[in-house]
Amino acid sequence: MNITVIGSGYVGLVSGTCFAEMGNRVTCVDIDPVKIEKLNKGIIPIFEPGLETMVLKNVKNENLFFTIALDKALQNSEIVFIAVGTPMGEDGSADLQYVLAVAKSIGQSMQKRLIVVDKSTVPVGTADKVKATIQKELDARGSDLEFDVVSNPEFLKEGAAIADFMKPDRVVIGTDSDYATEKMKQLYHPFCMSRDRFISMDIRSAEMTKYAANAMLATKISFMNEIANICEKVGADANQVRIGIGSDKRIGYSFIYPGAGYGGSCFPKDVKALTKIAKENCYNAQLITAVEQVNDAQKLVIAQKIVTRFGEDLTGFTFGIWGLSFKPGTDDMREAPSIYIIKELVNRGAKIKAYDPKAIDEAKEHYLKEVQNITYVTSKYDILKDSDALVLLTEWKEFRSPNFEEIKTQLKAPVIFDGRNQYNMFSLEKKGFEYYQIGKK
Ligand SMILES: NC(=O)c1ccc[n+]([C@@H]2O[C@H](COP(=O)([O-])OP(=O)(O)OC[C@H]3O[C@@H](n4cnc5c(N)ncnc54)[C@H](O)[C@@H]3O)[C@@H](O)[C@H]2O)c1
């Protein structure tokens, strides 16, 4: 099939590349000429495991193209995906300006029947707005071209995006058109060979499914963090409680690790947007509001532990940070807990030495650009010398089983703050460390 994907970020680039991998002819469009120029030179603007190899292979095979020219891309396309950002607006709702700008351009440029697919995460009712926007442009052109609007929310996880897309748990399609359903089934068939993963529903339910999924996962995280905070007060160990409850199949082990809170480009904005959607429809989403509040507070729990240990004024202290990205396997720092924790420590006078396998450029160029007193290093052990403590904030694999002897010799004193509860199995106290974690005194 001939496909256009509009928006070549984490979702658009991965989706487009995976469709190309299955033999489709895909054109990825972006409004950012620098990004497109880089992609046309074989430079991948984001880090995602396996993506670079797959992009280069499909470009070489002439299945994958990059352009800023939407009208040309649409000339031969049967299906166009909208995969642009839907960031948090000032009032907490999803900002639809990019989605609707794209819808307008589609209405102005399309030359044949099209299936328009919303892949961006959008509030319930957005498909109607996209439809109306395209129709308005067609009417202005005096055109009677047909088109269908489909909701196809994306569930990939950064860090495992290629694997998630190639073998999805489910493909949710919301549409009232049999023609579009059939075409979407054909497109996704190669991804669902071993069993039927196609879930067809009405458009509004598909739009809501994405928010419900993210809110559920965020709820599990905030729930466990709240339990961890209570554990600490009553002298229980949240790690043991986690194992105790996870063994119940109805609860399960995933998403119940106590930690420094969730971040990233999706959970924070989608949880907020869902409370806003509820409010606009005269419903007070108390539970989901609390999920967000618990998370906001959780981001600073490790900083509070540092203050309790070193004092309110951190002038003269240096902290070595392992991990800046919001989770392992990505260079994405959007809403990462590290941003909040580092700013809190620096505001109290501390100096920071930071290491991350992939996110240092993002930190330097965007998210911590204005923050003074940070030194970035290129090897994880280099942060230790002259540091008063090691602070683990992202659970990258290379931090899982470090050389504790080296940590102990290099640090000024053997103090570890573990924001991801990675080291509770290592009996660090017996190894002579002062060890602080979430959910245990
Ligand atoms: N990142 C994830 O893990 C993830 C997972 C599932 C769903 N989503 C959703 O997918 C959507 C995209 O997220 P993302 O992380 O890929 O965003 P992103 O910021 O990485 O990429 C968006 C891209 O769209 C481009 N763009 C903006 N306006 C454009 C226009 N008019 N024409 C062409 N390109 C335009 C931007 O330049 C950018 O490259 C969001 O709604 C997000 O919530 C993201």
Side-chain angles (χ1 to χ4, degrees):
M1 279 188 205
N2 275 318
I3 298 166
T4 295
V5 179
I6 308 177
S8 305
Y10 285 89
V11 166
L13 186 56
V14 169
S15 313
T17 306
C18 291
F19 285 135
E21 178 75 7
M22 292 301 189
N24 297 291
R25 188 184 157 90
V26 180
T27 306
C28 290
V29 179
D30 205 283
I31 204 170
D32 179 350
V34 178
K35 192 174 264 189
I36 292 300
E37 200 185 323
K38 276 189 180 169
L39 284 163
N40 278 324
K41 285 182 182 160
I43 303 165
I44 314 302
I46 53 168
F47 171 71
E48 188 57 47
L51 181 61
E52 182 172 2
T53 314
M54 212 185 252
V55 169
L56 297 180
K57 178 181 143 195
N58 283 288
V59 167
K60 194 170 167 219
N61 291 347
E62 301 196 344
N63 281 343
L64 186 57
F65 304 87
F66 302 104
T67 182
I68 52 167
L70 175 63
D71 48 351
K72 283 203 186 118
L74 283 186
Q75 269 171 14
N76 295 313
S77 290
E78 297 165 74
I79 304 179
V80 56
F81 283 85
I82 303 177
V84 297
T86 46
M88 202 188 295
E90 271 178 19
D91 62 353
S93 59
D95 183 349
L96 289 181
Q97 62 167 309
Y98 306 104
V99 170
L100 296 179
V102 167
K104 189 173 177 187
S105 305
I106 292 172
Q108 289 166 343
S109 313
M110 63 188 275
Q111 298 297 338
K112 53 188 268 196
R113 181 170 188 172
L114 257 188
I115 297 175
V116 181
V117 187
D118 277 341
K119 196 167 249 322
S120 301
T121 302
V122 289
V124 178
T126 302
D128 294 339
K129 289 183 184 165
V130 166
K131 200 170 191 168
T133 306
I134 296 173
Q135 192 59 57
K136 192 174 164 200
E137 294 306 318
L138 288 175
D139 292 345
R141 285 165 58 190
S143 165
D144 58 0
L145 280 173
E146 278 184 82
F147 68 98
D148 298 289
V149 177
V150 171
S151 166
N152 169 218
E154 182 50 56
F155 298 99
L156 64 75
K157 301 182 289 294
E158 285 177 24
I162 296 279
D164 285 348
F165 201 92
M166 295 300 279
K167 265 195 172 198
D169 291 334
R170 75 293 211 193
V171 175
V172 171
I173 298 294
T175 177
D176 50 12
S177 152
D178 293 341
Y179 169 78
T181 305
E182 205 40 52
K183 281 278 179 195
M184 294 302 285
K185 273 190 174 167
Q186 286 168 18
L187 177 64
Y188 275 106
H189 175 69
F191 301 92
C192 309
M193 300 285 272
S194 61
R195 66 176 168 86
D196 188 11
R197 293 155 207 255
F198 204 82
I199 304 172
S200 202
M201 56 181 75
D202 66 86
I203 298 182
R204 285 180 171 246
S205 303
E207 290 172 331
M208 188 65 186
T209 296
K210 175 67 190 175
Y211 282 105
N214 277 357
M216 180 71 210
L217 294 170
T219 301
K220 281 187 94 174
I221 295 172
S222 278
F223 173 83
M224 195 60 211
N225 282 332
E226 186 142 84
I227 293 293
N229 295 336
I230 302 170
C231 281
E232 221 171 301
K233 299 269 181 215
V234 300
D237 178 348
N239 301 303
Q240 294 184 33
V241 174
R242 177 184 68 79
I243 294 163
I245 64 170
S247 54
D248 183 332
K249 283 198 184 71
R250 294 168 304 173
I251 298 172
Y253 287 109
S254 56
F255 278 75
I256 56 164
Y257 266 86
Y262 61 75
S265 66
C266 293
F267 289 1
K269 81 171 171 61
D270 293 349
V271 166
K272 217 181 222 335
L274 186 53
T275 54
K276 190 79 179 123
I277 292 167
K279 200 171 174 190
E280 280 165 9
N281 288 278
C282 305
Y283 182 78
N284 179 16
Q286 295 178 66
L287 178 61
I288 299 161
T289 306
V291 166
E292 186 194 346
Q293 288 166 348
V294 169
N295 194 60
D296 287 346
Q298 195 65 25
K299 285 179 178 171
L300 291 177
V301 167
I302 273 289
Q304 280 155 9
K305 284 177 186 282
I306 293 173
V307 168
T308 307
R309 166 65 176 77
F310 290 94
E312 298 278 339
D313 181 0
L314 296 175
T315 310
F317 293 109
T318 301
F319 298 99
I321 308 282
W322 275 359
L324 296 167
S325 57
F326 84 92
K327 68 172 182 179
T330 180
D331 58 352
D332 198 342
M333 276 195 65
R334 289 179 277 190
E335 293 293 322
S338 66
I339 302 170
Y340 298 84
I341 294 162
I342 288 173
K343 283 185 178 170
E344 176 69 14
L345 299 179
V346 168
N347 283 343
R348 289 176 179 275
K351 284 190 177 149
I352 301 293
K353 281 192 187 179
Y355 168 75
D356 186 283
K358 295 289 173 195
I360 288 179
D361 287 347
E362 281 295 296
K364 267 189 201 166
E365 288 163 25
H366 303 289
Y367 297 93
L368 295 169
K369 193 178 169 188
E370 314 298 333
V371 182
Q372 306 288 313
N373 286 334
I374 307 185
T375 313
Y376 297 96
V377 296
T378 49
S379 150
K380 66 175 180 286
Y381 291 113
D382 285 351
I383 65 146
L384 302 169
K385 200 170 176 319
D386 300 326
S387 288
D388 292 276
L390 167 64
V391 187
L392 178 84
L393 295 182
T394 314
E395 62 276 36
W396 285 92
K397 280 197 187 109
E398 66 177 82
F399 302 144
R400 278 195 196 166
S401 191
N403 182 339
F404 287 111
E405 271 315 304
E406 178 153 5
I407 295 175
K408 202 169 161 185
T409 9
Q410 296 266 356
L411 283 174
K412 273 195 200 162
V415 185
I416 295 182
F417 292 89
D418 183 353
R420 296 292 171 185
N421 286 16
Q422 292 288 290
Y423 302 141
N424 46 54
M425 298 303 287
F426 288 95
S427 306
L428 289 186
E429 288 91 349
K430 284 189 194 153
K431 289 184 165 73
F433 280 93
E434 259 182 70
Y435 175 52
Y436 299 89
Q437 54 182 312
I438 308 269
K440 194 178 174 196
K441 244 202 164 51

